[in-house]
């Protein structure tokens, strides 16, 4: 079940108020978007290549970000995005979570907060979902820690699972079930 | 147990009667995603619509061009998943316990890596209760990578599955 794009997309904040809030991205976020999208260190474990121009960024936001069924900018108090988090449908009962953060904000717990917020909301918003999963490159230790801190279960390493940027990568599978407890 | 000699070949419509025997058996299709076929006509449709158009589905037989007593299939993913493929198999119940599925899986693994040059990983998901199928994969050299909870929705029930893989550098056991 995909979210109807006509519905209002609520702003999600942690309660009690945390340091970040989640809201839909807009084209006016393009300059903040470029901060992480142009960074090869951020793109390292992603399927996409770093963005090389503002026009490219505008096109990507228009074609892929604004049309995405469930994608939220991760914003600090000033409402400017430092990254985004998204949910993809895998099948009727499974969804996958993904997130990206500008390097300047790594190591401060922002991704953990965003993942925790979204994981708390996703089963309410999609009650038919039985499983939320996350697939992380075996070398992406930072991202694995995020998921562990939130309470995802590391289920195993899938050998030679994904073909990214010309090399075949081992990928760690994590899951969170509606019956699991957020940490 | 000595490994039986088996043959793999594409399906054709003339396999319908033999396919009906195993594809119509609930014990055989129990852990598969598809329901048993109910009639010879449905068996024919299954061959025409599923078996023949499939990227790589082979009939298992004990003689070259012999009767179909099961199938093994390899389905490669695409895009950034093109390095991996899903393995599936089933054998007629009267032929269980003879190592046929294991032999078919080994042969399919070897052939699949030849037929799909970008393939590096074969994977299979097996229900937790399906111990026989887990043994087939283990005997064929697959490695259990983990338990994926609530991973598959099959025949109206959400199931926990074990994930197994065979990677190109692995050896047959």
């Amino acid at each position: 079940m995909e979210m109807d794009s006509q519905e209002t997309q609520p702003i999600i904040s942690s309660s009690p108020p945390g340091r970040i809030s989640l809201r839909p991205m807009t084209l006016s976020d393009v300059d903040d978007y470029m901060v992480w999208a142009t960074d090869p260190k951020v793109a390292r474990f992603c399927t996409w290549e770093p963005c090389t121009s503002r026009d490219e960024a505008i096109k990507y936001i228009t074609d892929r970000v604004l049309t995405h069924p469930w994608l939220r900018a991760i914003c600090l108090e000033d409402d400017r995005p430092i990254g985004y988090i998204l949910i993809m449908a895998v099948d009727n009962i499974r969804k996958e979570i993904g997130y990206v953060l500008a390097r300047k904000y790594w190591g401060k717990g922002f991704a953990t907060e965003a993942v925790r917020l979204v994981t708390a909301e996703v089963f309410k918003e999609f009650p038919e979902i039985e499983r939320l999963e996350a697939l992380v490159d075996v070398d992406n230790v930072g991202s694995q820690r995020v998921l562990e801190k939130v309470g995802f279960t590391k289920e195993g390493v899938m050998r030679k699972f994904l073909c990214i940027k010309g090399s075949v990568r081992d990928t760690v599978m994590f899951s969170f079930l509606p019956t699991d407890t957020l940490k | 147990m000595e490994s039986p000699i088996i043959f793999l070949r594409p399906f054709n419509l003339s396999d319908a009667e033999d396919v009906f025997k195993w594809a119509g058996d609930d014990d055989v299709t129990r852990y598969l995603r598809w329901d048993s076929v109910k009639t010879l006509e449905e068996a024919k449709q299954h061959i025409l619509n599923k078996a023949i158009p499939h990227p790589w589905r082979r009939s298992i037989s004990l003689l070259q061009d012999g009767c179909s007593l099961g199938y093994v299939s390899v389905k490669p993913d695409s895009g950034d998943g093109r390095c991996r493929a899903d393995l599936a198999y089933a054998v007629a119940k009267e032929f269980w316990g003879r190592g046929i599925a294991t032999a078919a899986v080994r042969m399919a693994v070897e052939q699949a890596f030849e037929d799909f040059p970008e393939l590096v990983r074969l994977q299979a998901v097996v229900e937790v209760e399906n111990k026989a199928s887990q043994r087939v994969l283990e005997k064929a050299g697959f490695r259990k990578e983990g338990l994926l909870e609530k991973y598959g929705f099959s025949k109206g029930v959400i199931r926990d599955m074990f994930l197994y893989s065979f990677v190109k550098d692995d050896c047959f056991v």
Side-chain angles (χ1 to χ4, degrees):
Chain A
M1 181 183 96
E2 299 301 350
M3 235 182 85
D4 184 347
S5 57
Q6 307 283 15
E7 283 177 282
T8 42
Q9 297 177 8
I11 294 169
I12 301 175
S13 304
S14 48
S15 143
R19 306 169 298 161
I20 60 146
S21 63
L22 306 179
R23 60 153 173 83
M25 289 266 294
T26 67
L27 259 180
S28 54
D29 291 323
V30 62
D31 294 313
D32 291 320
Y33 168 84
M34 282 189 71
V35 169
W36 71 77
T38 55
D39 187 344
K41 292 216 160 89
V42 171
R44 182 179 167 198
F45 297 116
C46 302
T47 53
W48 42 269
E49 294 289 351
C51 178
T52 55
S53 74
R54 202 166 187 272
D55 281 344
E56 196 188 315
I58 289 172
K59 185 170 186 351
Y60 190 87
I61 294 176
T62 309
D63 294 348
R64 307 283 289 273
V65 173
L66 298 182
T67 55
H68 197 284
W70 206 106
L71 185 152
R72 300 286 183 273
I74 301 170
C75 296
L76 296 180
E77 266 173 20
D78 58 2
D79 197 46
R80 288 178 60 182
I82 60 170
Y84 62 67
I85 186 163
L86 51 77
I87 304 268
M88 295 164 275
V90 179
D91 64 23
N92 292 346
I93 60 153
R94 273 160 61 197
K95 289 207 188 278
E96 183 185 336
I97 190 168
Y99 43 93
V100 68
L101 214 57
R103 195 159 29 119
K104 180 173 161 187
Y105 300 99
W106 288 4
K108 301 181 197 304
F110 292 126
T112 306
E113 239 176 278
V115 170
R116 193 181 285 121
L117 272 179
V118 170
T119 305
E121 290 301 314
V122 75
F123 299 107
K124 295 179 208 161
E125 203 171 316
F126 303 104
E128 75 285 2
I129 294 311
E130 299 282 345
R131 174 189 171 90
L132 181 65
E133 56 190 32
L135 281 64
V136 186
D137 192 283
V138 71
D139 287 342
N140 192 350
V141 177
S143 192
Q144 291 168 39
R145 270 204 293 269
V146 165
L147 296 163
E148 279 156 10
K149 282 196 280 177
V150 175
F152 276 68
T153 305
K154 178 177 173 173
E155 291 175 324
V157 178
M158 304 185 294
R159 302 174 300 156
K160 305 231 191 308
F161 189 76
L162 270 179
C163 216
I164 289 195
K165 292 166 177 159
S167 69
V168 181
R169 307 291 306 165
D170 292 354
T171 307
V172 187
M173 173 70 93
F174 285 86
S175 74
F176 195 98
L177 307 183
T179 45
D180 288 344
T181 314
L182 279 171
K183 284 195 199 162
Chain B
M1 186 192 341
E2 251 184 49
S3 195
I5 293 172
I6 57 120
F7 296 84
L8 300 182
R9 60 160 174 81
F11 278 94
N12 40 60
L13 213 42
S14 55
D15 290 319
E17 276 183 33
D18 293 317
V19 167
F20 185 31
K21 282 185 203 157
W22 50 263
D25 184 343
D26 285 344
D27 288 337
V28 171
T29 65
R30 182 173 171 194
Y31 295 114
L32 300 177
R33 296 215 165 210
W34 44 274
D35 293 320
S36 296
V37 300
K38 303 287 180 289
T39 63
L40 184 60
E41 184 54 40
E42 274 185 35
K44 287 183 187 166
Q45 290 306 313
H46 181 92
I47 295 173
L48 273 174
N49 300 329
K50 288 210 167 153
I52 290 175
H54 193 283
W56 203 100
R57 181 169 286 196
R58 299 287 182 264
S59 171
I60 305 169
S61 51
L62 292 174
L63 300 171
Q64 191 143 37
D65 292 325
C67 297
S68 176
L69 47 84
Y71 81 96
V72 60
S73 68
V74 170
K75 191 168 190 196
D77 212 314
S78 59
D80 50 27
R82 64 192 180 277
C83 52
R84 65 180 188 261
D86 289 308
L87 175 82
Y89 48 89
V91 169
K93 195 162 53 185
E94 61 184 303
F95 293 99
W96 288 3
R98 299 199 208 170
I100 288 171
T102 305
V105 166
R106 286 184 196 204
M107 194 174 281
V109 167
E110 227 177 288
Q111 290 182 11
F113 284 132
E114 283 170 20
D115 291 350
F116 298 108
E118 290 196 279
L119 193 60
V120 170
R121 169 188 173 88
L122 274 160
Q123 59 183 28
V125 285
V126 190
E127 280 183 49
V128 168
E129 307 165 350
N130 191 355
K131 303 244 184 287
S133 197
Q134 291 160 35
R135 275 196 300 273
V136 166
L137 294 169
E138 282 155 14
K139 283 192 286 174
F142 278 64
R143 257 188 245 179
K144 187 192 284 191
E145 289 176 332
L147 171 66
L148 309 180
E149 288 188 274
K150 308 274 185 277
Y151 191 71
F153 192 80
S154 182
K155 294 171 178 165
V157 180
I158 294 142
R159 299 158 193 276
D160 297 343
M161 311 279 229
F162 285 123
L163 178 65
Y164 282 83
S165 73
F166 191 106
V167 153
K168 210 164 182 178
D169 302 330
D170 287 349
C171 298
F172 292 120
V173 172

